[in-house]
Amino acid sequence: MMRWRVTVQESDAAAVYALVTETGFFSKSEQQIAIELVEETLSMGKESGYEFVFVDMPGKPGSLLGYTCYGPIPDTVSSFDLYWIAVSPRQQRTGLGSALLIETERLALQQKASRMFVDTSGREQYTPTRNFYERSGYQQEARLIDFYAPGDDKVIYAKTL
Ligand SMILES: CC(C)(COP(=O)(O)OP(=O)(O)OC[C@H]1O[C@@H](n2cnc3c(N)ncnc32)[C@H](O)[C@@H]1OP(=O)(O)O)[C@@H](O)C(=O)NCCC(=O)NCCS
């Protein structure tokens, strides 16, 4: 049985690092940021502004099949940001990413979110990721040419919840 939870635990810093590294989609500095969001939440609690949905790996405590990190965007009335979503490569294309996103949207709605925003890369490697967002009801709202690096655009998606 997969265990779903929203409470952050000590082992999540290492587990999130292992997961985001395993996907091969994130740079060293992005991997570091992913851990920092977990650590900030461990030390500050809800005050951090980051919230999570974790899916634990059955029979392997301290390992994750997938997770999301999201939260209200400061200084907006009801806009939320999906900061992070990742599913273990062995578990991809099984519907877990969609299930995680739906649960995240449900929890955001409970907190009166009206719109969910997500940034991604325009690079070829992220074509499946963009397909995933489009398939999940997200619309491309903006494309910032060469934002991350020359040849690496930022693509902003949004969905009305
Ligand atoms: C993006 C991600 C979270 C999707 O999770 P997932 O569990 O594989 O997604 P699902 O199985 O729920 O897929 C839902 C739909 O998205 C689309 N999709 C997902 N992966 C895809 C792929 N590799 N190629 C094409 N379409 C894909 C498909 O339409 C899929 O539906 P289908 O399998 O019925 O065709 C996962 O692939 C991932 O962790 N990728 C690497 C990290 C990443 O890109 N994170 C986002 C950074 S901005």
Side-chain angles (χ1 to χ4, degrees), residues 11-29:
S11 60
D12 287 328
V16 161
Y17 180 78
L19 176 60
V20 300
T21 305
E22 186 190 22
T23 65
F25 270 68
F26 303 103
S27 66
K28 273 263 165 289
S29 67

Side-chain angles (χ1 to χ4, degrees), residues 8 13 33-50 52:
V8 188
I33 293 167
I35 298 174
E36 280 167 19
L37 305 189
V38 173
E39 284 172 342
E40 231 173 281
T41 306
L42 279 168
S43 60
M44 296 170 69
K46 239 183 133 37
E47 286 294 290
S48 73
Y50 303 118
F52 296 85

